[in-house]
Amino acid sequence: PSLEQETVEELSHRLLEITAQLNASNRSLQHLQQERTEMLANLSHDLRAPLTAIRSAVDYLTSGQSLSAQDIEGALTLIDHRTGTLEHLIRDMYELFTLEDPSHAFSFQELDAPAFLEEYFYTALPDSHYAGHLLCLSVSQDLHATLFADPGKLIRILDNLLGNAAKYAPAGTKITLSAAPSADLTSLRISVTDEGPGIPPEDLERIFNRTYTVSSARTPGSATGSGLGLAIVKTITERHGGTVSCENAPGAGSIFSVTLPAKFLQS
């Protein structure tokens, strides 16, 4: 074949590659749009429920009926509880959208991982959110690991994971915060293990998606099933160059893990 024929073939091949890339980009954009639409639908549902309850309580209080002090207190308690639900959900929405903005800067610094986890653990012990549970720390004294991370964001990850464990695991059960190096000593795996009902196997791959609606088996009576807390964990972790995972035996608890790049000193 002549040089001209070869050039035409090369251009044709390049055009096919560009077309394939554009098609892949379009599919990705469509998926993101679908995901955002689904997320907004879930959030709309989660916002509507407490708003409806608040409106009903306000209507009851202003109905002109002769209400007892107990009736008024009950309505005000409902309003207070549902308002808290709205505040929590709106805060999570704002934080997730902020974290997904590439222009939102993280304050990275070198952290002594075992010392950081130990300080976090002993700060969490007296927290009323964990009342009724046995908090345990499992970090080897031989572990010498350094993370390059944003400490405030890591605290948010741990708050979300331990908070979920305390919310869904039965009272009196154990919640364990642990850390261990990867086999190739390139990353540190930080895990929160609970003794709750576990996650249905078919949902394990989706539980960190922002469109995931948490199963009622995991969150009976949950105020919100939008799953934004775990989506926040995933977003923060990925911006640190890490990964998240969940494994469990249904009925025997769950292990939520965050794996982050780390440096290790040999002891």
Side-chain angles (χ1 to χ4, degrees), residues 40-56:
L40 291 175
N42 290 343
L43 291 176
S44 296
H45 175 270
D46 287 335
L47 288 168
R48 189 181 305 117
L51 283 173
T52 300
I54 292 171
R55 169 50 60 191
S56 296

Side-chain angles (χ1 to χ4, degrees), residues 165-182:
K167 182 185 294 184
Y168 306 133
T173 58
K174 183 168 62 175
I175 300 172
T176 303
L177 173 62
S178 61
S182 61

Side-chain angles (χ1 to χ4, degrees), residues 122-184:
Y122 286 108
T123 300
L125 273 181
D127 194 318
S128 61
H129 285 96
Y130 309 120
H133 292 87
L134 177 62
L135 293 187
C136 300
L137 179 65
S138 178
V139 178
S140 171
Q141 292 183 350
D142 296 329
L143 178 64
H144 303 283
T146 300
L147 297 172
F148 188 62
D150 182 324
K153 298 299 189 296
L154 286 192
I155 289 174
R156 183 68 160 112
I157 287 176
L158 295 173
D159 282 347
N160 282 12
L161 294 183
L162 266 75
N164 276 352
K167 182 185 294 184
Y168 306 133
T173 58
K174 183 168 62 175
I175 300 172
T176 303
L177 173 62
S178 61
S182 61
D184 60 359

